[in-house]
Each structure stands twice: as C-alpha cells, then as structure tokens.
Amino acid sequence: MIGPTPPIHPGEILTEEFLKPMGLTASALARTCKASRTRIERFALGQTPVTGDLALRLGRVFRTGPEFWMNLQALHDLTEVAAIVHDLDGIEPLVPA
C-alpha cells in the first residue's frame, strides 16, 4: 500500500538530483535531449507528467533508462490517487475457485 507521504513529482527528481548537481538549466537540457525548453521547464516544475517520449530522451541523456522516469511517474500517480480514494477497504480480492 502506498503511504501517506505526499507524492514527489518526477520533475522534482529531475531538478534536485540531476539539474542542480550537474549545473544544468532547463534550456541546456532541452538542447541536449532535443526537446522544447517549455516542455522541460513545465515538467521540472511538476506541471506536466513524464511521457514515453520524454522518458526515452531523459533516459538517454542521464543514462538511467526510460523505465526510471516512467516508474517515478507511476509511483507519483499512485501515491496521489491513493490519498483521495477512500473506498478501497470495501473491495474484496477475488479468490480463484
């Protein structure tokens, strides 16, 4: 079960773990990964999710693989939804016959 911790957007990971330590700006990253500056800025600010295309680009640039970025997005989405879904306790798992 996903805990009560506020979800961390993958854009925050990009900013805190990659851009700042490497001294990169969104513009420099955009040029490197051949994406628009606006797209990178909006993602880094947590305004847009990572897409498959962006995950492929970031995975190549940072040598993390696209799965890293997609998994961060999936965890963010699940954590965010788990905080607002309140009827899961009433759902019983199916048991094979």
Side-chain angles (χ1 to χ4, degrees):
M1 186 69 161
I2 306 296
T5 307
I8 297 172
H9 190 277
E12 184 177 343
I13 302 294
L14 173 68
T15 300
E16 297 300 324
E17 302 296 327
F18 293 90
L19 296 182
K20 285 182 179 178
M22 297 175 88
L24 288 173
T25 64
S27 294
L29 176 59
R31 283 190 300 276
T32 301
C33 70
K34 299 181 181 178
S36 75
R37 177 188 50 80
T38 304
R39 183 178 186 191
I40 299 298
E41 286 174 346
R42 291 186 68 214
F43 174 66
L45 292 171
Q47 296 173 349
T48 58
V50 71
T51 61
D53 176 73
L54 185 55
L56 286 166
R57 293 171 189 280
L58 295 174
R60 175 68 61 97
V61 168
F62 295 117
R63 297 182 180 176
T64 60
E67 299 85 1
F68 174 79
W69 299 99
M70 295 305 288
N71 287 336
L72 286 174
Q73 186 66 55
L75 182 60
H76 171 267
D77 294 348
L78 287 170
T79 304
E80 193 171 62
V81 171
I84 60 172
V85 174
H86 302 290
D87 62 349
L88 293 178
D89 291 336
I91 299 173
E92 294 295 324
L94 294 174
V95 179

